[in-house]
Amino acid sequence: MGVSHRNKIVISEPHPLINEEIDLLSKYGDVVLVNTTKEDVLTEAVRDADLLIVDFARVTKNMIENAQRLKGIIRHGIGVDNIDLEAATRRGIVVANIPDYSTKTVADHTWALILALTRKIVIADKYVRDKLYVGRWENPPEYLKGLELEGKVLGIIGFGRIGREVAKRAQGFGLKVLAYSRHISEEIAREFGAVPANLETILRESDIITLHVPLTKETYHLINEDRIRLMRKKPYIINTSRGAVIDEKALYKALKEGLIAGAALDVFEIEPPPEDNPLFKLDNVIFTPHIAWYSEEALRRLVMTAVEEAARILSGELPKNLVNKDVIQTLRFKKEGA
Ligand code: NAD
């Protein structure tokens, strides 16, 4: 018998609980934190790895094809749009995500953005700090006038885990909630206080639109110039899903022309966004740096679940949250061929 093989676990990017995660993973192999999103550096590190854990780094076809021993890829999060799933499936590499670590935190953040946007919190804060009131509080300027939520229509696009939690929170504010998703039943919608609607109805009737779909070929630029033209009520738009679900150029134009009252963006087409992103010049947009998921509770859940999935994959089991289900075929084929 040869020397027994010690697993190599590569983590691409750090986070505030990284030391804890490395400690827990060390039980299953040697952990290497490469601290990069650079494709060439990561490709080199993954070449002889058994497991890869990634946040936002792109896991490309080339990287996957160069990996000699890779059994699995764990995405530290929900969206897997940064991973070439087809390439992984073809090589018999399982891909797992962590679907519900941050559902409630993202829903809370979405609401923080809805309230900040409709109550003008960010520009009001600036008004106070910059002492724009010049000695008087009465007659606040028109641009600080907000929206009362009760009775308004909230359109939720993507009625999965996060969309439903957002709907639940809307009840307290007395909003009417319309929900659109690829598959949505009257029953589920009702359970979360929403009414199912098609996309056009949501665009036409909503005062506030919030996006909670994954980024896929179908949802890429789902909000584009044509769809913005269907929006009758000059709505507020909130995006905590993925940047490219909105065509940013079309959004900029619509915000400038007043077709959309305001936008709150946690995510961008390019992350981090280039410094000269024209949206930064607009007063009716507020931003957060892809932190909708970020809370102590969510982070801890993320790490614990990632470690459990790592243990499963390295011991030859399927992960609980297998994303590329077709890989089972490839694995069966490999086994039979072995
Ligand atoms: P989910 O899978 O539970 O829900 C997604 C919903 O979108 C599903 O109901 C699905 O049917 C629907 N959908 C998919 N494609 C569609 C299409 N073409 N048209 C209409 N509906 C479609 O996912 P979730 O947990 O609610 O998360 C949603 C997204 O939020 C994730 O994919 C991720 O990209 C993003 N996210 C962002 C953060 C952040 O920090 N900003 C954190 C977590 C998740």
Side-chain angles (χ1 to χ4, degrees):
M1 280 265 275
V3 181
S4 74
H5 161 71
R6 184 128 171 100
N7 292 316
K8 176 179 173 187
I9 304 169
V10 168
I11 304 181
S12 58
E13 300 132 275
H15 54 72
L17 290 183
I18 192 70
N19 291 336
E20 214 167 300
E21 184 168 23
I22 292 176
D23 262 6
L24 292 165
L25 285 168
S26 300
K27 214 170 123 191
Y28 308 102
D30 297 325
V31 186
V32 180
L33 171 66
V34 280
N35 203 350
T36 192
T37 54
K38 288 207 178 91
E39 188 185 343
D40 53 342
V41 182
L42 199 53
T43 301
E44 208 36 55
V46 170
R47 193 180 296 280
D48 60 348
D50 297 270
L51 184 72
L52 169 63
I53 303 181
V54 284
D55 275 30
F56 296 107
R58 274 168 38 78
V59 183
T60 61
K61 182 166 170 240
N62 182 46
M63 191 182 296
I64 288 169
E65 284 175 355
N66 274 294
Q68 304 298 312
R69 294 204 311 241
L70 199 62
K71 293 192 186 75
I73 301 165
I74 299 176
R75 159 83 171 102
H76 250 171
I78 300 174
V80 285
D81 44 279
N82 56 327
I83 302 171
D84 191 324
L85 292 178
E86 267 173 41
T89 307
R90 221 176 306 120
R91 295 282 322 273
I93 295 167
V94 298
V95 178
N97 68 345
I98 307 187
D100 42 17
Y101 77 103
S102 66
T103 305
K104 288 168 203 289
T105 303
V106 179
D108 290 349
H109 195 82
T110 302
W111 268 99
L113 292 176
I114 292 175
L115 291 168
L117 198 55
T118 57
R119 295 302 312 151
K120 314 285 177 185
I121 299 298
V122 178
I123 42 173
D125 177 85
K126 190 170 160 42
Y127 178 79
V128 176
R129 280 175 205 277
D130 294 353
K131 306 190 177 51
L132 301 177
Y133 50 86
V134 282
R136 46 194 283 268
W137 284 120
E138 67 274 18
N139 293 329
E142 175 81 12
Y143 70 82
L144 293 185
K145 190 170 74 189
L147 188 77
E148 184 174 272
L149 293 179
E150 185 158 311
K152 299 293 187 304
V153 178
L154 172 68
I156 300 181
I157 299 180
F159 205 59
R161 293 183 189 86
I162 297 170
R164 292 172 203 189
E165 285 295 319
V166 170
K168 218 161 87 181
R169 285 157 177 71
Q171 302 317 304
F173 289 99
L175 283 149
K176 177 180 174 194
V177 180
L178 299 179
Y180 166 71
S181 225
R182 212 170 25 186
H183 312 288
I184 181 167
S185 72
E186 189 85 39
E187 220 179 322
I188 287 282
R190 207 173 325 115
E191 189 186 328
F192 289 88
V195 177
N198 61 31
L199 186 55
E200 280 70 26
T201 308
I202 294 221
L203 299 174
R204 219 178 323 109
E205 294 185 9
S206 301
D207 299 287
I208 302 163
I209 294 174
T210 181
L211 301 169
H212 301 289
V213 284
L215 177 62
T216 62
K217 279 187 201 119
E218 293 82 48
T219 62
Y220 176 80
H221 285 187
L222 181 91
I223 301 298
N224 57 21
E225 204 169 335
D226 289 343
R227 296 222 166 93
I228 289 172
R229 247 184 261 124
L230 298 176
M231 298 174 185
R232 296 256 177 84
K233 288 188 169 169
K234 300 190 174 127
Y236 289 92
I237 295 189
I238 288 86
N239 191 9
T240 59
S241 65
R242 281 290 180 271
V245 174
I246 300 183
D247 176 347
E248 259 180 30
K249 284 201 181 94
L251 178 71
Y252 173 78
K253 200 162 157 248
L255 284 160
K256 239 185 126 68
E257 290 171 1
L259 300 176
I260 292 175
L265 307 175
D266 183 55
V267 286
F268 297 81
E269 285 207 65
I270 303 170
E271 291 184 2
E275 278 173 33
D276 61 353
N277 186 325
L279 288 168
F280 292 162
K281 295 213 178 86
L282 301 178
D283 283 339
N284 52 349
V285 195
I286 59 178
F287 308 99
T288 51
H290 204 145
I291 52 154
W293 64 276
Y294 195 25
S295 68
E296 178 66 25
E297 293 80 358
L299 190 58
R300 205 155 278 285
R301 240 176 263 129
L302 184 76
V303 166
M304 298 318 284
T305 315
V307 172
E308 284 164 21
E309 291 288 51
R312 283 189 196 100
I313 295 170
L314 291 172
S315 67
E317 280 174 52
L318 287 176
K320 237 185 188 163
N321 298 303
L322 179 65
V323 176
N324 57 338
K325 301 224 162 30
D326 291 348
V327 78
I328 295 172
Q329 275 302 103
T330 325
L331 288 170
R332 195 173 298 144
F333 194 68
K334 261 184 156 178
K335 228 181 195 172
E336 280 163 9

